[in-house]
Amino acid sequence: MSASSAFNDEKGGSSNVGEPEYGHDPASGGIFSSDYKRHDDLKEMLDSNKDSLKLEAMKRIVAMIARGKNASDLFPAVVKNVACKNIEVKKLVYVYLVRYAEEQQDLALLSISTFQRGLKDPNQLIRASALRVLSSIRVTIIVPIMMLAIKEAASDMSPYVRKTAAHAIPKLYSLDPEQKDCLIEVIEKLLADKTTLVAGSVVMAFEEVCPERIDLIHKNYRKLCNLLIDVEEWGQVVIINMLTRYARTQFLNPNMNVSTADKEEKEKKKTEATAIVRRKPYVMDPDHRLLLRNTKPLLQSRNAAVVMAVAQLYFHLAPKAEVGVIAKALVRLMRSHSEVQYVVLQNVATMSIKRRGMFEPYLKSFYIRSTDPTQIKVLKLEVLTNLANETNISTILREFQTYIKSNDKDFVAATIQAIGRCATNIGEVRDTCLNGLVQLLSNRDELVVAESVVVIKKLLQMQPEQHSDIIKHMAKLTDNIQVPMARASILWLIGEYCEHVPKIAPDVLRKMAKTFTNEEDIVKLQIINLAAKLYLTNSKQTKLLTQYVLNLAKYDQNYDIRDRARFIRQLIVPTDKSGALSKYAKKLFLALKPAPVLESPFKDRDHFQLGSLSHLLNAKAGGYQVLPDWPEAAPDPSVRNVEVPEWTKCSSREKRKEKKADKPFYSDSEGESGPTESADSEDEKKSEKKSKPRIGSSESESEEDNDSESESSESEEESEEESEEEIKKKKKRDKTHTFYIGVQMFATICKPAWLNMQFLLNPLPVSVPQTIVPSGNLKTYELLHRITGEGLSVEYCFSRQPFSPDPHMVAVKIQFTNSATSEAKSLHVEDAKLQSGMRIKEFPEIEVLPAGETVSVVMGIDFCDSTQAANFQLCTHTRKFFVSIQPPVGELMMPIFMTENEFKKEQGQLMGMNEITEKLTLEEKCQGEHAIVQRVTTAANLSRVPCGSDKEFAGKTVTSGSLVLVSVVTKENGAAQLTVNCEKMVIGTMLVKDILQALTQ
């Protein structure tokens, strides 16, 4: 039977074969036939010479594994195809081997040389799969091979392979813990990786192998915080949990002043004369603030685990005034399915004990629905009880009255306990709750009555002398209540407060003595206790009854009851052998018992990290990392400072261009590439000076210009004193020169397609580094509202003009408007709080701003190619306002001129992980070329590539000069493809989001 016929027969097999696409199923009945052969058709297909049959067989085998069926007997047939040249077959073979390599170790070892060759495969997926299979073979003999493979994969060019190497580290560590030191070196190397794909996996490896090596995180802390928003979701969870513990060891408690103030207030009430030493005001570490600021946007994540991770981070790390932001996100999660809702409520129940105020506005969200599962009902009940106070207790008790009518008995019992806790915590409603519980004693349901008795017993212990009537009423219930715990609670109450009911207690003992042999053990123990207490307080009436009960207990089947009876007899009945212990019988039995404290089962659970398994179980689980206490003194923050190498200031592409010799604009030998190469190289080589040199200028002229410009940049005041006449001459010269260049380009290239009317009609001044200013007004942002600023309102915009004192800074135009009736004085900037590497050039102080007047200034900010906010204080002569400027990613760029050939060349060098492609559908109003250009240039400070066949835009980042290339290719019916090539992946990822939003609005 050939492989193809076997395949065809199975596709059209009879009904007793089972599902045809997954091979023969033994459960289908064929196993009882004499000619049944398991998986023979698949084995024949795997032995075939045709890749199509092998691929079909592997698809069916992987599908069987996905359905939970056993395919281990196919291992020899599958492993023979590990060297197959077909990429698709090889991928599926590796998937199979990852599943069964540990079970079939001997056969897998035979193919280990093939896996080692796979580690050198040009395809990154094959390299990663080979490493995954190799790390799945749990044999100590290949540990050195695995170690070498992991080290090589950690240096792989593909971030996907490096991610797989991080996944393999914990596997090797569990196989051979002695490799820990070598693995730590690999982890340290991978932690320095700047790719978001690797970050989550290497932090997971760090947590598994060396969580105590917190020194490895110091230099990568800020990078992890900044990359967090772009890491995949499960990686975000791992990183956030790790950073929570890290922050607890490196920063001070942000609530130390609050807690200290509370302690001081209590001490003042106790002893007013005692002098109290106050601590210095707390100032939050900028790195602490960085973590809180970068995790806050993740509260909007679609992944519930990410939201929960951020919530626990804020609960454990944020100042008390800022924790409230997580409440809304957690309440939103409660609308998810019951599994997520259960976990959320577990954490909310813990948070609501110490942070009651943050959930009070959402009280109705915790009301219980009849469709909720019992475990959800109980948790919601717990939260409602924690949120109860004097203001809302009446509303909550009305809810509880409704819940008692439920058919869910466990839920009703939990509600009665909740009423008891409310009565304990809020003294004003204690009597109301007690009366309500007494009414429940007449309920027909024994479980309701029993639970009510238990709760009433606890409440009566607080004020027993005021409630003798309730005790008498409960004594009458002994004839009807059959639930053992309830009967035991009534007997304990009567025995404990027998002096308040001297006539009823002996009669209860008489009834209980009759039924002693038929009672449950817990009831028998309380009958013995009742007899002992009555013997000590009213021996005349109960002496014989007590002896009768003790005699019955003496021969009971339960040894606990026998021992208790023997002990009590020797204690309360004095004999020669009893000794002096009987003197203390009354003190032992009739001592005042402290009233029980009805507490939440979630109290003090917050010492476990929220969201962890240990928190859920309220017990330390295996592998749990303890949440550290806050340090008494702040550790040295300089350990997180990372020195920025000089080479990072300039991209490698720029360095290559700097090595090229300067060439004239026109060159017969260069042809079309001559002008662009010369212009671009000169433009980028002079980017660190005050302004750009003229395109095509000679070397000597450029040097003279640069010398004069560098001198002028040293003194901003001198540059402002240029005469108007000189400025006009300079502009005229620049325009003439630019026009001459355009004509030269046209004459040299001689192609009609190079005629870009927009480029020719809008020639650029030499000092301006952009080619197309986006149409429409620049977007304005509010920096200070006039109400907050007491009449002073401040707005800012990114002017997209070069900042003359420093070309690596983004120019920010700030407009002050004085809406107050009095003048504002001494407007200036103070106390800039900047991230590492960022710089700020303050604007000159505005001495006076009269009422009703407006003034504009320009300041420069070096954002260091990141969208982190620049925080500083805006000061007047009377007030200081804390403000921040956060740039859109498109404002971190400056446009550069680039021809189509140059654009294609550079785009070809920025492929792979430096390229992001997204498909989108353009609306009708946005399908025109002008609309696309306008929206892209508005979203990002880029220039249009002239005469390009597609809509292409070029620019570079202001600080490091990293190239940013954007192309929009339109197709039929509004379909389009957006491609961004960027040397910095983080910037490219954020830019794609902004441009997509601009094109689809």
Side-chain angles (χ1 to χ4, degrees):
M1 181 177 180
S2 65
S4 58
S5 62
F7 173 71
N8 293 331
D9 290 345
E10 185 169 346
K11 280 292 184 182
S14 59
S15 59
N16 65 346
V17 176
E19 297 184 5
E21 68 271 25
Y22 300 115
H24 293 290
D25 186 358
S28 62
I31 194 170
F32 299 107
S33 60
S34 59
D35 59 343
Y36 176 78
K37 294 182 180 180
R38 182 178 175 84
H39 299 323
D40 274 4
D41 55 340
L42 292 175
K43 293 176 182 177
E44 289 185 24
M45 294 169 71
L46 289 171
D47 291 336
S48 171
N49 294 326
K50 295 182 179 180
D51 287 344
S52 59
L53 289 177
K54 291 182 178 181
L55 181 61
E56 181 64 27
M58 287 308 305
K59 286 181 179 179
R60 292 165 60 187
I61 292 170
V62 172
M64 288 171 60
I65 296 172
R67 291 166 60 89
K69 296 184 178 181
N70 185 15
S72 58
D73 58 327
L74 289 166
F75 195 93
V78 173
V79 78
K80 285 190 296 186
N81 292 280
V82 72
C84 181
K85 294 182 179 180
N86 186 291
I87 297 295
E88 297 301 320
V89 174
K90 186 178 286 190
K91 288 179 186 177
L92 294 177
V93 168
Y94 278 131
V95 170
Y96 177 90
L97 293 177
V98 169
R99 169 65 179 82
Y100 288 109
E102 189 170 352
E103 298 179 10
Q104 304 278 349
Q105 294 177 358
D106 295 337
L107 287 174
L109 284 174
L110 296 176
S111 304
I112 198 166
S113 58
T114 308
F115 304 146
Q116 289 179 288
R117 286 197 300 272
L119 294 171
K120 306 294 183 182
D121 196 278
N123 190 313
Q124 60 175 349
L125 295 177
I126 299 300
R127 297 200 301 275
S129 299
L131 179 60
R132 194 177 292 115
V133 176
L134 198 61
S135 60
S136 299
I137 303 175
R138 312 288 294 172
V139 180
T140 55
I141 196 172
I142 66 166
V143 165
I145 298 174
M146 290 173 60
M147 189 72 244
L148 182 61
I150 291 173
K151 285 183 177 180
E152 291 180 354
S155 303
D156 197 280
M157 293 182 63
S158 168
Y160 180 69
V161 178
R162 300 198 297 272
K163 177 187 179 76
T164 308
H167 287 168
I169 289 173
K171 296 181 182 178
L172 179 54
Y173 177 70
S174 63
L175 183 62
D176 186 5
E178 293 182 1
Q179 300 292 327
K180 182 174 181 178
D181 293 338
C182 295
L183 292 174
I184 289 176
E185 294 178 5
V186 180
I187 290 174
E188 186 174 8
K189 181 178 182 179
L190 290 174
L191 279 172
D193 199 300
K194 297 181 180 180
T195 310
T196 55
L197 194 64
V198 181
S201 301
V202 68
V203 170
M204 188 66 200
F206 168 83
E207 292 282 79
E208 293 285 337
V209 178
C210 54
E212 73 283 354
R213 287 291 304 275
I214 203 167
D215 57 293
L216 299 179
I217 304 298
H218 289 324
K219 292 185 178 181
N220 300 289
Y221 171 81
R222 292 170 185 164
K223 182 196 71 177
L224 289 173
C225 289
N226 292 325
L227 291 181
L228 192 58
I229 192 72
D230 295 314
V231 175
E232 48 92 18
E233 292 170 339
W234 295 112
Q236 289 174 340
V237 175
V238 174
I239 294 174
I240 291 172
N241 289 333
M242 184 274 293
L243 291 179
T244 301
R245 294 190 296 278
Y246 175 87
R248 287 289 288 255
T249 64
Q250 299 299 310
F251 308 129
L252 292 177
N253 184 356
N255 298 309
M256 63 166 59
N257 288 348
V258 178
S259 59
T260 304
D262 294 341
K263 292 179 182 177
E264 290 174 356
E265 208 171 312
K266 292 178 181 178
E267 290 183 20
K268 279 184 179 179
K269 291 180 180 179
K270 292 180 180 178
T271 54
E272 295 181 359
T274 305
I276 298 168
V277 180
R278 294 178 178 269
R279 292 187 182 181
K280 293 181 180 180
Y282 168 78
V283 178
M284 181 176 285
D285 190 295
D287 288 328
H288 191 173
R289 174 58 63 192
L290 173 69
L291 177 59
L292 294 175
R293 182 171 62 245
N294 284 17
T295 52
K296 186 177 179 180
L298 295 178
L299 287 172
Q300 306 300 323
S301 174
R302 61 184 178 181
N303 190 307
V306 176
V307 179
M308 279 305 312
V310 178
Q312 64 85 20
L313 181 141
Y314 261 74
F315 180 78
H316 291 303
L317 301 181
K320 189 175 181 180
E322 299 180 21
V323 180
V325 298
I326 66 176
K328 187 175 182 181
L330 291 176
V331 171
R332 175 173 57 85
L333 277 186
M334 287 176 53
R335 302 181 189 133
S336 305
H337 51 84
S338 57
E339 288 81 2
V340 173
Q341 197 175 9
Y342 179 77
V343 177
V344 172
L345 285 169
Q346 284 272 349
N347 290 274
V348 171
T350 302
M351 294 179 186
S352 59
I353 294 174
K354 289 191 175 180
R355 298 281 190 271
R356 179 189 299 172
M358 60 189 282
F359 293 105
E360 284 182 356
Y362 306 98
L363 184 68
K364 291 185 178 179
S365 299
F366 301 101
Y367 285 176
I368 295 163
R369 301 177 181 178
S370 58
T371 55
D372 287 337
T374 302
Q375 66 269 23
I376 300 297
K377 291 179 180 177
V378 172
L379 286 173
K380 284 187 175 180
L381 200 62
E382 178 68 29
V383 176
L384 287 173
T385 308
N386 292 340
L387 298 181
N389 54 33
E390 292 82 355
T391 306
N392 57 26
I393 185 61
S394 58
T395 305
I396 291 177
L397 285 179
R398 281 199 298 270
E399 279 290 310
F400 287 174
Q401 287 176 0
T402 307
Y403 301 159
I404 290 173
K405 300 175 183 177
S406 172
N407 294 325
D408 189 340
K409 302 308 175 187
D410 294 335
F411 172 52
V412 172
T415 304
I416 295 172
Q417 294 176 10
I419 293 173
R421 278 180 52 198
C422 290
T424 304
N425 299 333
I426 306 171
E428 297 176 0
V429 296
R430 186 172 300 160
D431 292 340
T432 305
C433 293
L434 195 55
N435 293 331
L437 291 172
V438 171
Q439 292 178 7
L440 290 178
L441 296 178
S442 58
N443 196 293
R444 295 181 179 179
D445 194 326
E446 286 188 0
L447 290 176
V448 174
V449 176
E451 201 64 41
S452 302
V453 168
V454 174
V455 174
I456 290 172
K457 168 204 151 188
K458 295 177 180 179
L459 294 179
L460 287 181
Q461 283 184 258
M462 299 177 184
Q463 296 173 326
E465 64 281 353
Q466 300 178 10
H467 302 290
S468 58
D469 293 339
I470 296 177
I471 297 175
K472 294 176 183 177
H473 179 69
M474 294 176 69
K476 297 176 182 178
L477 296 175
T478 53
D479 295 334
N480 300 324
I481 296 178
Q482 300 301 322
V483 178
M485 180 57 72
R487 291 173 69 83
S489 297
I490 294 174
L491 294 175
W492 185 92
L493 267 178
I494 295 172
E496 186 68 18
Y497 305 113
C498 56
E499 295 177 356
H500 298 284
V501 284
K503 297 181 179 179
I504 295 178
D507 194 52
V508 172
L509 179 60
R510 178 182 59 80
K511 292 181 179 179
M512 292 295 105
K514 289 181 179 180
T515 60
F516 182 87
T517 55
N518 298 324
E519 298 289 350
E520 294 289 334
D521 291 345
I522 190 174
V523 181
K524 289 179 180 179
L525 289 173
Q526 291 304 326
I527 294 174
I528 295 172
N529 285 342
L530 174 61
K533 291 176 182 178
L534 288 176
Y535 182 87
L536 293 172
T537 57
N538 189 2
S539 60
K540 291 182 180 179
Q541 288 185 319
T542 59
K543 183 177 181 180
L544 295 176
L545 276 174
T546 301
Q547 292 178 352
Y548 176 72
V549 169
L550 292 176
N551 287 333
L552 290 175
K554 182 179 179 180
Y555 301 102
D556 197 87
Q557 293 181 352
N558 189 304
Y559 59 85
D560 285 335
I561 297 173
R562 297 198 301 269
D563 289 348
R564 179 71 64 86
R566 188 178 300 112
F567 168 71
I568 288 179
R569 184 189 297 275
Q570 295 297 322
L571 191 60
I572 65 174
V573 181
T575 62
D576 295 337
K577 296 180 181 180
S578 62
L581 192 60
S582 60
K583 298 178 182 179
Y584 304 99
K586 284 191 176 182
K587 291 184 179 181
L588 290 173
F589 281 99
L590 303 178
L592 290 176
K593 312 297 190 301
V597 180
L598 299 178
E599 293 181 340
S600 169
F602 290 88
K603 186 180 180 182
D604 297 330
R605 272 205 203 183
D606 57 337
H607 67 276
F608 291 115
Q609 188 169 354
L610 266 65
S612 63
L613 178 62
S614 298
H615 171 262
L616 186 67
L617 301 176
N618 197 23
K620 187 175 179 180
Y624 172 73
Q625 301 295 327
V626 177
L627 186 67
D629 293 327
W630 294 102
E632 291 294 329
D636 182 14
S638 63
V639 295
R640 290 182 292 278
N641 293 339
V642 181
E643 294 184 5
V644 181
E646 289 297 325
W647 60 268
T648 58
K649 296 292 184 181
C650 171
S651 66
S652 58
R653 183 168 284 100
E654 279 189 293
K655 283 195 169 184
R656 291 198 302 269
K657 290 184 178 180
E658 284 181 0
K659 294 180 181 178
K660 296 179 182 178
D662 293 338
K663 299 177 182 178
F665 179 84
Y666 180 75
S667 172
D668 292 334
S669 62
E670 290 292 325
E672 295 180 4
S673 62
T676 59
E677 187 174 293
S678 175
D680 208 26
S681 63
E682 283 191 8
D683 178 66
E684 294 191 355
K685 280 193 292 183
K686 308 302 186 297
S687 64
E688 296 182 1
K689 302 299 181 181
K690 179 179 176 182
S691 61
K692 304 298 175 189
R694 294 187 290 275
I695 301 176
S697 61
S698 66
E699 184 175 355
S700 61
E701 289 176 343
S702 298
E703 290 177 356
E704 292 175 3
D705 290 343
N706 289 334
D707 291 340
S708 62
E709 288 169 357
S710 62
E711 290 174 2
S712 63
S713 64
E714 293 176 358
S715 175
E716 188 177 350
E717 295 179 0
E718 290 180 8
S719 64
E720 292 176 354
E721 292 176 357
E722 279 189 325
S723 63
E724 294 182 3
E725 185 176 353
E726 290 177 348
I727 295 174
K728 289 180 180 178
K729 287 181 179 180
K730 186 176 180 180
K731 288 184 177 179
K732 184 176 180 181
R733 183 173 67 250
D734 292 344
K735 288 181 179 179
T736 305
H737 191 76
T738 307
F739 180 77
Y740 172 73
I741 292 172
V743 173
Q744 245 185 349
M745 286 177 60
F746 179 78
T748 303
I749 298 167
C750 294
K751 288 184 179 181
W754 282 86
L755 182 59
N756 187 324
M757 294 304 296
Q758 189 173 13
F759 179 72
L760 292 176
L761 293 175
N762 295 281
L764 294 176
V766 174
S767 60
V768 181
Q770 60 191 48
T771 56
I772 299 178
V773 177
S775 58
N777 296 327
L778 296 172
K779 188 174 181 180
T780 302
Y781 305 88
E782 184 178 73
L783 189 63
L784 184 65
H785 193 271
R786 60 183 180 84
I787 296 177
T788 309
E790 299 178 356
L792 179 67
S793 61
V794 186
E795 296 180 337
Y796 70 94
C797 69
F798 299 92
S799 63
R800 296 194 174 182
Q801 299 296 324
F803 187 67
S804 56
D806 191 337
H808 295 298
M809 288 187 170
V810 176
V812 183
K813 182 179 179 182
I814 302 179
Q815 179 175 291
F816 295 87
T817 303
N818 188 3
S819 304
T821 55
S822 59
E823 61 185 15
K825 299 179 181 179
S826 184
L827 301 176
H828 63 283
V829 171
E830 282 184 6
D831 193 20
K833 302 288 186 183
L834 304 177
Q835 302 298 323
S836 176
M838 292 174 60
R839 298 177 294 123
I840 189 170
K841 179 68 175 176
E842 303 170 1
F843 57 83
E845 181 178 343
I846 303 172
E847 296 181 357
V848 179
L849 179 59
E853 294 293 328
T854 298
V855 66
S856 296
V857 293
V858 177
M859 67 185 297
I861 304 176
D862 181 0
F863 290 101
C864 206
D865 288 352
S866 85
T867 56
Q868 297 299 317
N871 304 311
F872 55 90
Q873 286 186 347
L874 201 59
C875 306
T876 66
H877 66 294
T878 58
R879 288 290 305 276
K880 294 183 178 181
F881 306 98
F882 185 81
V883 295
S884 62
I885 294 178
Q886 186 169 13
V889 68
E891 304 299 340
L892 302 175
M893 305 164 192
M894 58 185 298
I896 58 173
F897 174 76
M898 190 177 287
T899 64
E900 184 179 11
N901 287 345
E902 184 72 8
F903 182 90
K904 297 296 185 186
K905 178 182 176 182
E906 296 291 352
Q907 191 180 43
Q909 294 180 4
L910 290 174
M911 302 292 284
M913 294 303 296
N914 294 106
E915 181 177 272
I916 305 171
T917 302
E918 293 286 347
K919 294 182 180 180
L920 66 153
T921 303
L922 301 173
E923 296 183 2
E924 187 175 351
K925 62 181 180 181
C926 191
Q927 293 180 10
E929 181 175 355
H930 177 72
I932 295 175
V933 173
Q934 181 183 19
R935 290 176 183 241
V936 173
T937 53
T938 301
N941 190 15
L942 303 172
S943 66
R944 174 79 186 278
V945 175
C947 307
S949 57
D950 299 316
K951 274 72 71 181
E952 297 166 339
F953 309 85
K956 61 182 180 181
T957 59
V958 175
T959 300
S960 64
S962 301
L963 275 181
V964 181
L965 308 177
V966 177
S967 66
V968 182
V969 180
T970 54
K971 302 175 183 179
E972 297 179 355
N973 301 324
Q977 178 173 297
L978 169 66
T979 303
V980 174
N981 300 79
C982 184
E983 291 179 330
K984 291 195 172 184
M985 274 297 296
V986 177
I987 288 181
T989 303
M990 292 189 289
L991 184 60
V992 166
K993 295 178 182 177
D994 288 357
I995 295 179
L996 280 176
Q997 185 178 2
L999 292 174
T1000 54
Q1001 281 181 348

